[in-house]
Amino acid sequence: MKITTKARHAIFLGTLCSISYLAVYIARNLLGAVTPKMTAEAFTLDYIGEITAVYFLAYAAGQLINGAIGDWIKAKYMISLGLLMAGVANFVFVLISDYPYAAMIAYAWTGFSLSMIYGPMTKMVSESTDLVYATRCSLGYTFASFFGSPMAGLIATFLSWQATFNVSSAMLVIMAVTAFAFFTAFEKRGIIKYHGSKKGDTQQKKDYKGLFKRSIIKFSGISMLTGIIRTSFVGFLTTYFCTYLKYSEESSASIFSISTFIICFTAFIAIFIYEKLGRNMHVCPLIFFSVAAVFFFASCFVTHPIANIAIIIIAIMASNAAATMLWSVYCPSLRDTGLVSGITGFLDFLSYSASALASLFIPRLAEAFGWRNVIFLMAGLMVIGTAICIPHFLIKKTPAER
């Protein structure tokens, strides 16, 4: 079968975005991967939870700010600058880690820098390709985001926590330069297009009111609930394996890598189910949240470590599948509103704000009441997700879904 020019361009653009986003998610998942090694060096779990929360708050605020800016500034500038600044900030974090408050500021700057990437990237892809290709490109960097967790765990398995951060810093800087060069080349070849970027073009009208008809409130809830699982809870998986299931620090890091490697295939499974169910983005999250709730509850009653891990993985995958509907289907479908970057940033802001709060409470709840009750809480959140999807179960597909 011959590949069309549009499909070939989408492959080029999707591949570059996916590799760039892989570097982002390796950096984003480092702290969770190295937590056991840091706590072994006298860093407390509460302190790491505070650093994580500050990072997520900075990332969330940055998503709101940079998402809006991304509707006006070319993505190549936002993405390249964000990668570069994050690489520098990660390196500084290691140098000043003995000074808690200064280290928090440095890590918060990492979060703000990384927030410059996703919204502008989604806008660029949605405006440069047809919707079917935009969804598949988004699937590629959604996969890359999930794959970042096992990569971070793999690096953390063989290196000290300081060396792990330094390797990530080097990757971010190299990717910043590479991305800028390739995005510039793609612009010259016409692979990348921007609305209103040519002389005589008018700026695309922003349709804010239409967002309510496009279920923005429901997907805002999905963003927050899935963000807690895929970002905050997964970030503490290594600690869960180590303290609750009684694995060693090294084994916990290895299990984290294997677990998150399996989880990274969620996006493909979710899109496959989405296609089989007639491309209905309202039915799919209902199914995924229901499965996640059942498996989180089930894990509370399974004590065998391997079986427990397997059940937890399925629960996380189900929650992440609901997130895939949000990021890979819903956000690209908003291309006709002229607000793809801004709304993507807003939804990411909600996701990471919820994750920041969860990162403060999860370690405290685990120490006070045990990990089993934390899992019960995660199951309860998935029940809430199921509930907010029920009113939309019979909604007909929107024109963007057809």
Side-chain angles (χ1 to χ4, degrees):
M1 181 177 178
K2 186 178 179 180
I3 299 177
T4 65
T5 299
K6 287 184 177 180
R8 186 166 57 253
H9 287 179
I11 291 171
F12 291 154
L13 186 56
T15 299
L16 179 58
C17 289
S18 297
I19 295 173
S20 300
Y21 215 50
L22 176 61
V24 170
Y25 264 74
I26 290 174
R28 247 204 51 201
N29 287 285
L30 286 182
L31 192 60
V34 301
T35 292
K37 291 185 177 182
M38 292 184 71
T39 54
E41 293 186 16
F43 290 95
T44 66
L45 191 59
D46 280 351
Y47 173 64
I48 293 174
E50 289 169 0
I51 292 179
T52 304
V54 169
Y55 167 88
F56 286 149
L57 287 172
Y59 188 90
Q63 285 289 355
L64 197 61
I65 296 168
N66 293 317
I69 294 173
D71 280 323
W72 303 94
I73 296 178
K74 287 184 176 183
K76 73 173 182 180
Y77 297 120
M78 299 288 289
I79 294 170
S80 300
L81 183 60
L83 290 168
L84 180 62
M85 291 196 304
V88 174
N90 254 6
F91 182 72
V92 171
F93 171 74
V94 174
L95 293 179
I96 61 175
S97 59
D98 290 334
Y99 305 94
Y101 294 108
M104 280 188 183
I105 294 172
Y107 205 56
W109 189 249
T110 297
F112 184 85
S113 301
L114 292 178
S115 73
M116 298 174 67
I117 294 155
Y118 189 70
M121 180 185 292
T122 302
K123 176 182 174 64
M124 175 183 63
V125 170
S126 67
E127 292 181 352
S128 300
T129 64
D130 293 337
L131 181 58
V132 62
Y133 297 129
T135 297
R136 291 170 186 175
C137 287
S138 181
L139 176 63
Y141 47 82
T142 299
F143 171 78
S145 71
F146 293 147
F147 195 65
S149 294
M151 287 291 292
L154 185 64
I155 296 170
T157 300
F158 298 103
L159 300 175
S160 67
W161 73 265
Q162 295 93 335
T164 300
F165 271 93
N166 289 336
V167 167
S168 174
S169 294
M171 293 174 64
L172 288 167
V173 172
I174 292 171
M175 197 61 235
V177 176
T178 303
F180 186 85
F182 274 93
F183 283 136
T184 300
F186 286 173
E187 284 179 356
K188 291 180 179 179
R189 293 183 58 183
I191 296 175
I192 293 176
K193 305 178 182 69
Y194 297 101
H195 284 308
S197 62
K198 293 182 180 180
K199 187 176 180 180
D201 284 355
T202 57
Q203 188 67 39
Q204 188 177 13
K205 185 178 179 180
K206 308 293 191 278
D207 182 16
Y208 293 97
K209 292 182 179 179
L211 293 171
F212 292 96
K213 296 180 180 179
R214 304 284 281 271
S215 304
I216 185 65
I217 295 176
K218 181 187 78 170
F219 281 97
S220 294
I222 292 174
S223 176
M224 289 186 284
L225 293 170
T226 58
I228 291 172
I229 301 298
R230 75 188 181 98
T231 303
S232 186
F233 180 73
V234 169
F236 287 103
L237 268 185
T238 310
T239 307
Y240 172 78
F241 297 148
C242 189
T243 59
Y244 183 69
L245 299 182
K246 306 303 180 184
Y247 286 102
S248 67
E249 295 171 11
E250 291 75 16
S251 296
S252 294
S254 298
I255 295 170
F256 178 82
S257 295
I258 295 170
S259 299
T260 49
F261 177 76
I262 295 170
I263 290 169
C264 74
F265 290 97
T266 299
F268 296 105
I269 298 171
I271 294 299
F272 176 80
I273 294 172
Y274 166 73
E275 296 283 348
K276 291 297 181 181
L277 293 179
R279 297 184 179 181
N280 192 313
M281 72 171 81
H282 299 288
V283 173
C284 290
L286 175 65
I287 295 172
F288 297 145
F289 275 128
S290 300
V291 173
V294 169
F295 277 85
F296 270 124
F297 274 125
S299 69
C300 296
F301 304 99
V302 177
T303 57
H304 190 281
I306 296 177
N308 183 279
I309 292 170
I311 293 172
I312 285 288
I313 288 174
I314 295 173
I316 294 171
M317 291 180 72
S319 175
N320 285 357
T324 299
M325 292 298 100
L326 171 65
W327 306 116
S328 293
V329 180
Y330 180 71
C331 288
S333 77
L334 299 176
R335 56 188 285 172
D336 58 314
T337 67
L339 295 164
V340 173
S341 180
I343 295 304
T344 300
F346 169 71
L347 292 171
D348 239 356
F349 164 76
L350 294 179
S351 176
Y352 285 97
S353 295
S355 298
L357 291 175
S359 295
L360 282 175
F361 287 107
I362 285 177
R364 288 170 170 78
L365 290 173
E367 290 184 348
F369 303 103
W371 278 103
R372 187 168 182 267
N373 287 307
V374 172
I375 302 300
F376 264 122
L377 178 60
M378 298 302 108
L381 293 178
M382 296 300 95
V383 171
I384 294 173
T386 303
I388 66 173
C389 291
I390 289 175
H392 295 274
F393 181 73
L394 298 178
I395 283 183
K396 295 181 180 180
K397 290 188 294 183
T398 66
E401 292 179 271
R402 294 192 182 106

